Amino acid sequence: MAKAIADYILKAGIDVYFDEYDSSIDINNPNSVVTAIQNGIRRSTHMLCLLANNAMQSKWMPWEIGYGYDRTDLVALTVKEISEATLPEYLQIIHCSLPYFR
């Protein structure tokens, strides 16, 4: 779902940082992953968080949101199975718009 959204935004002519498209990442090297994501977030004005079940269980997502919190404007999309009441605390306290992606 995240790739489809990234592709849609790219087709609209908007620059996107999407880690799956970052050839500098060595997934076997955590420093490589952290450096690439930090660079991607630093170059961004906005951060779109797709809140789906897999993402909600990710160990990276809280770190990415925390890193981007003061650097970008955060926006969140939830899949229809996720309700605002079930969001983890770190998402409940940030200013996110929570439209539903169907």
Side-chain angles (χ1 to χ4, degrees):
M1 195 178 318
K3 185 178 182 306
I5 292 170
D7 289 345
Y8 178 83
I9 294 170
L10 283 167
K11 286 179 187 172
I14 299 169
D15 189 28
V16 169
Y17 175 78
F18 186 55
D19 60 351
E20 286 187 26
Y21 297 152
D22 191 338
S23 61
S24 74
I25 293 178
D26 175 1
I27 60 169
N28 298 312
N29 179 345
N31 288 327
S32 167
V33 175
V34 167
T35 299
I37 292 171
Q38 285 175 327
N39 289 337
I41 292 172
R42 275 192 219 114
R43 291 190 308 262
S44 300
T45 58
H46 293 76
M47 187 171 176
L48 176 62
C49 306
L50 178 59
L51 307 178
N53 289 322
N54 288 347
M56 304 288 276
Q57 297 171 14
S58 167
K59 295 176 184 176
W60 283 103
M61 194 162 110
W63 180 85
E64 292 167 331
I65 290 173
Y67 189 80
Y69 181 78
D70 289 331
R71 293 172 176 83
T72 65
D73 288 330
L74 292 171
V75 177
L77 291 176
T78 59
V79 296
K80 62 183 175 182
E81 295 85 18
I82 305 291
S83 72
E84 193 170 348
T86 64
L87 294 177
E89 291 173 348
Y90 73 93
L91 289 173
Q92 291 179 9
I93 64 170
I94 65 174
H95 299 292
C96 285
S97 172
L98 297 167
Y100 291 94
F101 180 74
R102 299 188 195 284

